[in-house]
Amino acid sequence: LNSDGTVSGLYLYTSSRNDATVSKKKLSGSWQAENGTARITLTLDGRSYEGILCEQTDEGGAVRTVFTAIGENNESVWGARG
């Protein structure tokens, strides 16, 4: 999640129950946080996702912004910034 409202470095990983292969696709889009709340809206490759942002301390002790969201297609996305 970039400060200008764009998304970069986000990938979609998919796999099949019948196949051990994992495919990877780079996504592009935008995001917007709702002022005064933890709510976030992402638009990735033309699909809309609604979710939340929060801060979390990683294993190394760094505080990072993380997000999780679910799309209109019932796919979920998650990631960390920074």
Side-chain angles (χ1 to χ4, degrees):
L1 305 178
N2 303 313
S3 60
D4 65 356
T6 61
V7 175
S8 62
L10 186 64
Y11 293 88
L12 172 67
Y13 291 89
T14 57
S15 64
S16 167
R17 290 181 189 206
N18 301 325
D19 187 351
T21 304
V22 175
S23 61
K24 176 180 167 182
K25 175 186 173 190
K26 188 170 185 175
L27 300 176
S28 62
S30 61
W31 69 278
Q32 183 175 11
E34 187 176 311
N35 287 338
T37 74
R39 294 185 56 82
I40 184 173
T41 301
L42 297 113
T43 303
L44 303 170
D45 285 354
R47 291 187 175 150
S48 180
Y49 298 81
E50 299 286 330
I52 61 166
L53 284 170
C54 64
E55 289 188 339
Q56 181 176 344
T57 304
D58 69 14
E59 307 85 24
V63 176
R64 297 169 51 109
T65 300
V66 297
F67 68 91
T68 184
I70 190 161
E72 55 199 22
N73 55 2
N74 284 333
E75 290 179 345
S76 59
V77 295
W78 58 270
R81 179 179 178 196

